[in-house]
Amino acid sequence: MKYEVILYYKFSKIDDAEAFCTAHKAFLKELGVKGRVYISDEGINGTLGGTPVEMQRYKDFLRSLKGFEDTEFKEDAHETIPFAKLICKVRQEMVAIHVDGLNPEDGGYHMKPHEWRSVMENRDDYVMIDVRNNYESNVGHFEGAIKPDVENFYDFPQWLDEADIPKDKKVLMYCTGGIRCEKFSVLMKKKGWDDVNQLHGGILNYAKEEGGKFFKGKCFVFDDRLVVPVNKDNLEPIARCEITGKPADSYINCANMECNKLFVCSEEGAEIMEGCCSEECKASEYKRPFDAENAFKPFRKWYNYFGDDFKERELQQQ
Ligand SMILES: [Zn+2]
């Protein structure tokens, strides 16, 4: 494995986010790595890919900054860099929930992966919430978790208001790397749930530490890989190809650029429909030429066809 992919976030107040971002971007450019970094006045949220040496230099750099000394990184090895370019910019919110005043310090108990596993093993009385979007939980989730049918993280507050979860229940929540729980746990506590627990470091950390026990399917990630394995003992896809109906967990964007729908599709399905989600899209004049070799690199394709800002609201989420 030639490259390392890192995922990280750190809530720590930044006085001048613009200046912080400019300096950060200069360092990253000089280093020559790719990925996405978002900076706001409440901290930093990023995912980057490069050689292990480059990644180490970046980690050292970030940890040398005041307030970021104890930033934790989720690391994964990969044969290629799963990003087309480097994006480093200031954002209003580190992760977009569209609710003001949610301070991560008021969040739930950070459950360590081994504690999480043991709570699941003991079948304690709890309700478990998958704090990710439907297209993420669709290809992988913890056994018994509630999977809200939402397309954006900022739909979660409304979902919670309608979900009817008893306030006296023990709540377990998880997301990919932990950042969404840092906001959602605060919201739940504010709304009256007391026993709120969040998986520290998210699914990716749990996969590393506990081998992914009780996790079915794979973990959706916001880069060219799209899904990564979690439970090494169970790599069976849990989703189905929307074209052939056979088990699959690879995603593709509809080749009709006007549609661009993200859907689960097998290689066989992609061949049949030339990368489209429907016959209608297949007949569209805005259909990209089908390229079997690159059909499953949807995010890179987005960049190629639409430039930086396309679908960025989704890309910023971890
Ligand atoms: Zn389509």
Side-chain angles (χ1 to χ4, degrees):
M1 295 289 181
K2 284 199 299 227
Y3 298 102
E4 190 173 284
V5 183
I6 62 171
L7 186 78
Y8 61 97
Y9 66 86
K10 173 73 185 169
F11 285 92
S12 181
K13 203 172 162 4
I14 297 172
D15 289 330
D16 187 344
E18 287 291 346
F20 188 99
C21 183
T22 303
H24 223 81
K25 192 169 186 175
F27 182 88
L28 290 168
K29 272 195 156 170
E30 172 85 35
L31 198 55
V33 299
K34 290 172 181 170
R36 291 182 303 273
V37 177
Y38 295 115
I39 289 155
S40 81
D41 54 14
E42 59 179 357
I44 189 165
N45 175 14
T47 177
L48 292 167
T51 65
V53 172
E54 287 165 348
M55 290 297 99
Q56 190 56 49
R57 280 191 60 200
Y58 175 71
K59 291 177 213 167
D60 293 343
F61 167 73
L62 184 58
R63 284 175 176 154
S64 74
L65 304 175
K66 196 167 174 294
F68 295 89
E69 296 88 344
D70 59 352
T71 306
E72 291 180 18
F73 297 91
K74 269 78 71 180
E75 293 130 353
D76 209 358
H78 200 55
E79 278 163 44
T80 55
I81 295 177
F83 303 99
K85 50 166 68 179
L86 173 69
I87 294 168
C88 179
K89 54 169 74 168
V90 173
R91 300 230 128 197
Q92 192 90 29
E93 291 179 283
M94 257 165 77
V95 56
I97 188 166
H98 299 179
V99 179
D100 288 334
L102 297 179
N103 183 351
E105 283 175 18
D106 303 328
Y109 170 70
H110 279 243
M111 211 175 245
K112 293 181 188 71
H114 72 88
E115 295 175 294
W116 181 275
R117 180 178 49 77
S118 123
V119 168
M120 286 194 77
E121 249 159 20
N122 297 335
R123 297 170 182 272
D124 290 3
D125 187 25
Y126 60 77
V127 52
M128 183 184 283
I129 306 170
D130 189 320
V131 190
R132 300 176 302 154
N133 304 326
N134 49 15
Y135 55 84
E136 297 173 84
S137 51
N138 185 26
V139 289
H141 56 84
F142 277 104
E143 288 170 18
I146 298 173
K147 299 172 289 161
D149 186 17
V150 299
E151 283 183 16
N152 299 286
F153 182 48
Y154 53 73
D155 295 327
F156 266 87
Q158 193 191 337
W159 173 82
L160 182 62
D161 287 341
E162 294 163 1
D164 245 353
I165 298 166
K167 301 252 155 120
D168 58 354
K169 273 269 187 185
K170 182 187 192 74
V171 173
L172 267 65
M173 66 171 72
Y174 66 91
C175 63
T176 313
I179 189 169
R180 285 178 267 185
C181 295
E182 298 276 21
K183 292 287 182 180
F184 194 62
S185 64
V186 182
L187 184 70
M188 285 197 80
K189 290 196 83 171
K190 272 195 166 171
K191 295 217 170 209
W193 283 270
D194 282 329
D195 193 356
V196 176
N197 305 272
Q198 54 198 97
L199 178 56
H200 184 74
I203 298 163
L204 298 180
N205 190 36
Y206 183 84
K208 275 262 147 74
E209 309 239 323
E210 296 298 326
K213 196 175 179 198
F214 302 122
F215 194 91
K216 288 161 71 179
K218 301 201 180 90
C219 183
F220 188 96
V221 290
F222 291 90
D223 60 53
D224 285 351
R225 297 172 296 170
L226 285 177
V227 296
V228 295
V230 176
N231 187 342
K232 308 272 190 288
D233 297 329
N234 182 5
L235 294 169
E236 282 302 302
I238 62 165
R240 285 182 181 274
C241 171
E242 288 190 26
I243 307 299
T244 66
K246 294 176 189 166
D249 54 17
S250 45
Y251 268 104
I252 192 171
N253 286 98
C254 177
N256 170 13
M257 293 183 280
E258 275 198 322
C259 170
N260 207 48
K261 176 186 159 189
L262 186 68
F263 68 104
V264 176
C265 187
S266 61
E267 282 181 34
E268 185 190 354
E271 292 273 357
I272 294 169
M273 294 299 288
E274 295 176 7
C276 290
C277 74
S278 64
E279 290 292 347
E280 194 188 338
C281 285
K282 198 174 168 186
S284 164
E285 60 179 303
Y286 296 104
K287 185 176 132 350
R288 292 185 290 252
F290 182 63
D291 168 7
E293 205 165 299
N294 291 304
F296 290 89
K297 290 178 182 168
F299 285 84
R300 187 151 299 183
K301 277 212 181 288
W302 280 349
Y303 289 127
N304 289 346
Y305 280 90
F306 302 99
D308 283 357
D309 288 328
F310 193 78
K311 282 264 179 183
E312 221 184 297
R313 65 182 172 81
E314 284 175 17
L315 296 177
Q316 73 164 320
Q317 296 177 357
Q318 293 185 3

